[in-house]
Amino acid sequence: MSTAVLAKADRLIIGDRTFVSRLIIGTGKYRSYDEMKAAHRASGAEMVTVAVRRVPLDRSAESFLDHLDPAMQLLPNTAGCYTAEEAIRTARLAREALQTDLIKLEVIGDQTTLFPDNEQTLEAAAVLAKEGFTVLPYFTDDLIMAKKLLDVGCPAVMPLAAPIGSGLGIQNPANLRIMREQLPEATIIVDAGVGTASDAAIAMELGADAVLMNTAIAEAQDAAKMAQAMKLAIEAGRLAYLAGRMSKRLYASASSPHTGVAR
Amino acid sequence: MNLRINGEDREVANNLSLKELVTQLDLPPERIAIELNQNVVRRADWPSTGLKENDQVEIVHFVGGGEPVSSRQ
């Protein structure tokens, strides 16, 4: 099956939006705008996440958004928020500025690990979903938490694979598999922890619907090349998941017929 | 009068509207958002929103990233 055929048949669905690309990318840590733009182009991503910050008052603030492809869907995030209240306020500001209901909800619990505060995240998700936001929550890779987030109205959930920016890869594949099996209808987006292309492929093979990443691309020696590698890995991993892998067995199983061998 | 804008004390003319404040600060009005005393003020309401002594104003825009920093703490 070619990529074009796959794209037609198989879309990422988030609320009432559909995407061909299953890679969502970030905008932080790039060494230059040119490098970021090249990586974004190479990634084929259709959605990009941006952070909300105070405008500097003493110098002219050029608009960061001008450096992004206007065709890409902006996904504002609440990074930097440590309480539900802060995240809710940030989401409302983002909606007003961008006129979008999409919000990547992050409520961090601890500065060293950047692990999410799941309680605060759930509280904020419930409020924002009621206000009509399309809430994409970052949370610990836990099935019960995923269920609660879906129950309060999140159209998708974003479990971490490893600490943000760590590049450690999928630390708990069993949790992702369980989440996929128990929530077959849910949109599951792996957020945080991917380090290289094989990590992204594994996430997709485990049944993730998409992967969001920033550091793995931005901190690669050649960001654009890594972006392309991620694009291909995600396509390959998705195809492998849809294809259904063979069963593992302990012993060899010959591919060629046993009979008729010339002796 | 004094306003607290993005955590800084600023002296501005009395009876300023939010719209006039944005102009005075020389901010690009597109793709920014403003909170007045912790409530978002819609762009359409900037001209009719008057400011008063010791109001707290938060003006935000978008930057690259996703990792938490403590700029809003």
Side-chain angles (χ1 to χ4, degrees):
Chain A
M1 188 158 61
S2 77
T3 305
V5 173
L6 171 72
K8 267 191 188 148
D10 182 50
R11 295 281 173 103
L12 168 66
I13 299 168
I14 299 174
D16 53 11
R17 292 175 173 84
T18 57
F19 301 91
V20 175
S21 169
R22 291 175 179 273
L23 173 56
I24 305 170
I25 46 172
T27 49
K29 297 183 177 174
Y30 284 96
R31 286 159 288 229
S32 69
Y33 287 135
D34 283 344
E35 190 176 48
M36 179 182 77
K37 282 188 254 192
H40 284 185
R41 270 194 301 275
S43 74
E46 294 166 284
M47 184 151 54
V48 59
T49 187
V50 290
V52 180
R53 289 291 178 272
R54 283 172 165 168
V55 170
L57 299 177
D58 296 325
R59 54 188 160 87
S60 64
E62 61 164 357
S63 180
F64 173 78
L65 300 181
D66 292 342
H67 296 287
L68 300 176
D69 178 350
M72 279 202 288
Q73 170 71 55
L74 294 176
L75 173 60
N77 65 56
T78 66
C81 294
Y82 281 79
T83 64
E85 192 206 336
E86 277 177 15
I88 290 165
R89 283 174 57 195
T90 300
R92 288 173 181 157
L93 283 164
R95 175 161 70 177
E96 171 60 19
L98 294 180
Q99 301 297 310
T100 179
D101 58 303
L102 278 170
I103 190 76
K104 177 178 184 307
L105 176 63
E106 296 179 35
V107 187
I108 299 301
D110 162 61
Q111 257 177 340
T112 307
T113 59
L114 300 182
F115 282 147
D117 183 325
N118 289 326
E119 283 180 346
Q120 294 285 309
T121 301
L122 183 62
E123 192 182 319
V127 171
L128 292 171
K130 272 205 187 97
E131 291 183 12
F133 282 90
T134 298
V135 184
L136 309 181
Y138 161 70
F139 72 113
T140 312
D141 54 345
D142 174 81
L143 170 67
I144 311 308
M145 191 63 202
K147 282 184 177 174
K148 289 182 180 182
L149 288 163
L150 293 166
D151 283 348
V152 299
C154 297
V157 290
M158 304 183 88
L160 59 78
I164 290 174
S166 70
L168 287 172
I170 316 295
Q171 291 298 290
N172 201 335
N175 272 3
L176 277 183
R177 268 189 66 189
I178 288 170
M179 210 180 290
R180 176 73 294 159
E181 286 192 21
Q182 294 298 308
L183 303 171
E185 302 300 323
T187 297
I188 299 172
I189 302 170
V190 167
D191 179 11
V194 164
T196 188
S198 53
D199 298 333
I202 289 168
M204 297 305 292
E205 287 172 7
L206 289 167
D209 293 286
V211 179
L212 187 149
M213 67 179 77
N214 180 56
T215 310
I217 295 174
E219 286 191 358
Q221 299 299 309
D222 183 331
K225 205 164 265 179
M226 185 57 86
Q228 190 189 358
M230 292 298 187
K231 173 183 191 282
L232 296 171
I234 285 173
E235 287 175 6
R238 177 65 180 172
L239 276 172
Y241 172 72
L242 293 175
R245 62 153 298 148
M246 63 165 281
S247 304
K248 289 183 183 179
R249 49 172 86 85
L250 191 56
Y251 297 100
S253 165
S255 295
S256 319
H258 298 289
T259 54
V261 178
R263 307 228 183 246
Chain B
M1 62 177 174
N2 178 71
L3 298 177
R4 194 154 180 85
I5 309 173
N6 287 0
E8 294 176 29
D9 286 315
R10 288 268 171 153
E11 241 356 273
V12 299
N14 288 337
N15 304 318
L16 212 57
S17 75
L18 210 44
K19 170 78 178 159
E20 288 164 337
L21 177 69
V22 170
T23 308
Q24 273 200 10
L25 291 171
D26 200 20
L27 297 173
E30 301 84 29
R31 301 196 285 197
I32 62 170
I34 304 181
E35 254 185 3
L36 177 59
N37 301 323
Q38 307 208 352
N39 291 306
V40 174
V41 182
R42 309 201 73 147
R43 187 177 305 267
D45 297 330
W46 292 356
S48 60
T49 303
L51 295 165
K52 55 182 194 313
E53 181 76 22
N54 294 327
D55 270 347
Q56 286 194 31
V57 184
E58 289 283 330
I59 309 173
V60 299
H61 67 161
F62 294 89
V63 300
E67 289 76 23
V69 294
S70 50
S71 69
R72 295 197 70 216
Q73 304 301 300

